[in-house]
Amino acid sequence: MTNVIVIERDGTLVVDSRLIADRLAIAHKNLLATLDKYKQRTESAFGEIAFETRKSERGKPERLAWLTEEQATFLMTLSRNTDKVVQCKLELVEAFAKAKRVIEQVIPAQAQEIERLKLELELARARDSAARSEDAAAQSQQRLLAVSQAIATLHGSGMVALILGKPDAVVERVTQVETTILCNERGQPIKSYTGLSKTRLAKRYGMKKAADVVTWLESIGRIDFLQSALTTTPCQYVPIELIPELDRLWASKEGSRQRLLGE
């Protein structure tokens, strides 16, 4: 029996139209035909539908839709309430509810990360100010000390050391974790993986594209950090427990980062 999978895509919780077709035991093309027929009404009430075309397992172009909870629920109301339709509605509501609760648990950590970034920016400004003006050196040093103490109080002395250019410091930090949430027919969540994908890591380290992560890891002999997992499509990610070590390697400027960033 196909699980109902809810994922976060561009900041919105969505479900793959192919999974709904599987749960309703109908052809996906027939589901899309119904969706196209009522597209204008659906979008006027619940926003634009996110369509995507990708290659199928046979290599042919395949059209699908990423549906929000409201869009998917409205689509199923267009079908007669058979046992399969009712069960699919139930699973869909439960899956979205579970995903929302998981996201609500992540928000406090994200707020703490934002506060840390603000303090880091303030520290950098204070350090630059001290370097530019000898007359303001004393004042800048006091400001630098105050901000450093604030960061140490919130995140430990290791964070201050890393910001000041000491990559060997031990750092504890809140990391944005990418998690795929799967729910079975009873609405019970199953985590496919917990870690950072290549795309997240590329953004984290200022690289241009996800493939640069692979190039850099190969250059430092740590390609073993990358592991494989399945979301709605195959992907590669670095487990969350390896992120501190990866941060240390990146901060120490090992490997091919000069070529990737133009340093």
Side-chain angles (χ1 to χ4, degrees):
M1 184 175 292
T2 305
N3 289 323
V4 175
I5 302 174
V6 173
I7 67 170
E8 184 178 355
R9 188 173 184 271
D10 298 329
T12 302
L13 293 175
V14 292
V15 62
D16 189 332
S17 59
R18 295 172 298 182
L19 296 182
I20 296 178
D22 285 342
R23 295 300 291 119
L24 296 177
I26 63 175
H28 183 235
K29 64 179 181 179
N30 294 339
L31 184 78
L32 288 181
T34 301
L35 187 60
D36 289 334
K37 181 178 179 180
Y38 295 97
K39 179 175 179 292
Q40 184 175 356
R41 292 187 182 181
T42 304
E43 291 186 335
S44 64
F46 306 116
E48 184 177 356
I49 299 172
F51 287 99
E52 180 181 344
T53 300
R54 60 173 60 174
K55 287 186 178 180
S56 66
E57 295 180 355
R58 299 179 179 178
K60 296 181 179 180
E62 181 182 27
R63 182 169 172 254
L64 62 97
W66 295 103
L67 302 172
T68 65
E69 181 177 8
E70 294 83 1
Q71 291 169 346
T73 302
F74 175 67
L75 177 60
M76 284 191 291
T77 63
L78 301 175
S79 301
R80 185 168 56 88
N81 271 343
T82 63
D83 289 341
K84 288 185 178 181
V85 172
V86 172
Q87 182 62 27
C88 188
K89 288 179 182 179
L90 177 62
E91 292 176 11
L92 189 71
V93 171
E94 290 180 341
F96 272 102
K98 295 284 186 182
K100 289 175 184 176
R101 283 196 289 271
V102 172
I103 289 177
E104 287 172 357
Q105 295 173 1
V106 174
I107 290 176
Q110 291 178 334
Q112 186 178 5
E113 178 71 0
I114 291 173
E115 183 63 25
R116 184 195 66 78
L117 292 174
K118 289 180 179 178
L119 289 171
E120 183 177 332
L121 177 60
E122 186 69 16
L123 177 60
R125 287 174 175 172
R127 185 178 59 184
D128 292 342
S129 177
R132 286 195 304 266
S133 174
E134 291 182 0
D135 295 337
Q139 181 179 358
S140 296
Q141 287 300 324
Q142 292 177 353
R143 187 179 177 191
L144 182 63
L145 179 60
V147 175
S148 298
Q149 290 174 342
I151 292 177
T153 300
L154 284 175
H155 306 287
S157 59
M159 179 60 69
V160 178
L162 183 61
I163 294 173
L164 292 176
K166 298 178 180 179
D168 292 332
V170 178
V171 181
E172 292 184 3
R173 58 177 298 177
V174 176
T175 301
Q176 184 175 4
V177 180
E178 183 176 271
T179 301
T180 295
I181 307 161
L182 301 106
C183 295
N184 60 23
E185 65 273 10
R186 297 186 299 276
Q188 297 172 330
I190 306 169
K191 290 185 178 180
S192 175
Y193 71 81
T194 301
L196 296 186
S197 66
K198 292 186 293 185
T199 300
R200 292 281 191 187
L201 289 168
K203 292 181 180 179
R204 184 184 184 91
Y205 298 135
M207 300 179 185
K208 295 180 180 179
K209 55 185 181 297
D212 291 342
V213 175
V214 178
T215 301
W216 176 60
L217 288 175
E218 289 175 342
S219 72
I220 61 173
R222 296 319 302 260
I223 193 65
D224 58 299
F225 273 31
L226 276 182
Q227 299 188 22
S228 297
L230 287 176
T231 56
T232 53
T233 58
C235 68
Q236 288 182 306
Y237 73 102
V238 171
I240 193 64
E241 63 270 15
L242 296 179
I243 295 302
E245 173 64 11
L246 199 62
D247 284 343
R248 187 193 68 78
L249 291 170
W250 182 255
S252 64
K253 297 188 177 182
E254 294 187 28
S256 61
R257 54 173 285 162
Q258 288 83 4
R259 180 168 61 86
L260 299 174
L261 298 179
E263 294 180 333

